Amino acid sequence: MSDARISWSKTALLTSVVDDFFDVGGSKEEQENLLALMEKYALYTTVNEIGAKASALQGHDITKYLLETMSLQFDAQIAVARYIETEAEWQRSQYVPKFEEYMECGVTSLTHGATVISGMFFIGVKLTDDIIKHQEYNEIFRLVGTCGRLLNDIRGIEREAMDGKLTNDVSLLARESGGCMSIQEAKMEAQKRVDTARRKLLKLVLREGAIPRPCKQLFWKMCKNLHLLYYSHTLPYGIRI
């Protein structure tokens, strides 16, 4: 499993650099320059290296899927950055993004999909185009991303507020309650949604479907990793590993 582990690690490192840079802000020009450099050098080199090995094992071109997944997540980072950039304007115009609107970008921008898919081709399972493009994969990715985004925001809301980032899934839940929900209660509500997404994910992993079980188990392991990472911070809100 060395190729799977190495590709997983390289992709996780690459996407984390982008995610963390956007989290701490930076000017629009700095963000655009970073993405341009990442796409031109790091993304190109990493995707082609992993893609060449995976394509040889799978017997067909895998590079295009890796590139597509990574590009979607880079685009999501830009969208999230635009949310943050325009918060002051939103406040002046009294516009606040809806919870689902923010989640749509937040799930993708967390970059777990690129990390998992980079290792999926190296675990000894032949994956055809039909399997890779199947709707079941998209649903599994969405559920893992939902768990990750909500757990991240439950843990990070206080830190992000100190950094001046006002848009967070937990804060949006509190806002949309019309004053009926405190931040603490919003955290508990977010945790309930994590639990629901995790149960749905486990059902998909265990049942027979279009995607081979070993591939689905990779997503389950990513979900468990996320819970372990945020465990000490989310334990008071009900999570159990």
Side-chain angles (χ1 to χ4, degrees):
M1 293 294 177
S2 61
D3 284 335
R5 294 177 185 277
I6 291 171
S7 63
W8 181 297
S9 299
K10 284 185 175 181
T11 307
L13 179 60
L14 178 64
T15 54
S16 294
V17 168
V18 178
D19 182 59
D20 289 347
F21 183 85
F22 275 81
D23 272 350
V24 298
S27 69
K28 182 178 180 180
E29 182 180 3
E30 287 174 329
Q31 293 169 346
E32 290 176 347
N33 287 341
L34 173 67
L35 287 177
L37 287 170
M38 294 288 280
E39 289 180 330
K40 186 175 181 180
Y41 297 107
L43 178 60
Y44 178 84
T45 302
T46 304
V47 166
N48 278 280
E49 179 187 342
I50 295 173
K53 289 184 178 180
S55 298
L57 287 174
Q58 294 290 330
H60 61 106
D61 183 23
I62 297 302
T63 307
K64 58 185 177 182
Y65 299 115
L66 295 173
L67 185 59
E68 180 180 329
T69 305
M70 295 282 278
S71 296
L72 283 173
Q73 294 180 334
F74 276 32
D75 289 344
Q77 293 290 355
I78 295 176
V80 172
R82 286 173 181 164
Y83 278 145
I84 297 170
E85 274 184 6
T86 56
E87 275 187 341
E89 182 180 341
W90 283 352
Q91 290 175 351
R92 285 193 296 270
S93 62
Q94 297 186 334
Y95 173 76
V96 177
K98 299 297 183 182
F99 173 82
E100 295 300 334
E101 179 186 359
Y102 187 72
M103 278 292 289
E104 186 176 348
C105 278
V107 166
T108 305
S109 69
L110 212 55
T111 71
H112 302 319
T115 303
V116 176
I117 199 173
S118 68
M120 200 166 63
F121 299 109
F122 296 101
I123 59 175
V125 179
K126 294 292 184 180
L127 300 171
T128 64
D129 287 351
D130 290 340
I131 292 176
I132 298 171
K133 295 179 180 179
H134 199 277
Q135 177 59 34
E136 188 178 37
Y137 164 77
N138 293 330
E139 179 63 8
I140 290 173
F141 166 66
R142 184 188 68 79
L143 290 170
V144 175
T146 297
C147 289
R149 172 50 60 195
L150 290 172
L151 287 170
N152 180 282
D153 285 357
I154 290 170
R155 173 180 177 178
I157 184 170
E158 286 84 4
R159 174 183 56 81
E160 290 175 353
M162 291 176 63
D163 291 340
K165 180 181 177 183
L166 303 179
T167 306
N168 173 295
D169 290 319
V170 174
S171 64
L172 290 177
L173 283 172
R175 287 179 185 179
E176 290 183 13
S177 72
C180 298
M181 189 183 295
S182 66
I183 291 296
Q184 187 73 8
E185 291 169 331
K187 286 183 178 181
M188 296 176 67
E189 173 60 28
Q191 184 60 58
K192 290 179 183 177
R193 299 185 185 213
V194 172
D195 296 340
T196 298
R198 193 182 188 206
R199 285 193 294 269
K200 290 180 179 179
L201 175 64
L202 183 57
K203 287 181 180 180
L204 283 176
V205 170
L206 294 178
R207 81 181 187 190
E208 295 298 324
I211 301 177
R213 178 74 62 81
C215 297
K216 292 192 286 188
Q217 287 176 333
L218 282 185
F219 283 93
W220 179 243
K221 288 177 181 178
M222 171 60 86
C223 188
K224 290 174 69 175
N225 287 341
L226 291 168
H227 280 80
L228 181 61
L229 175 65
Y230 299 122
Y231 177 74
S232 63
H233 297 269
T234 57
L235 182 60
Y237 310 113
I239 193 63
R240 292 293 184 272
I241 293 181

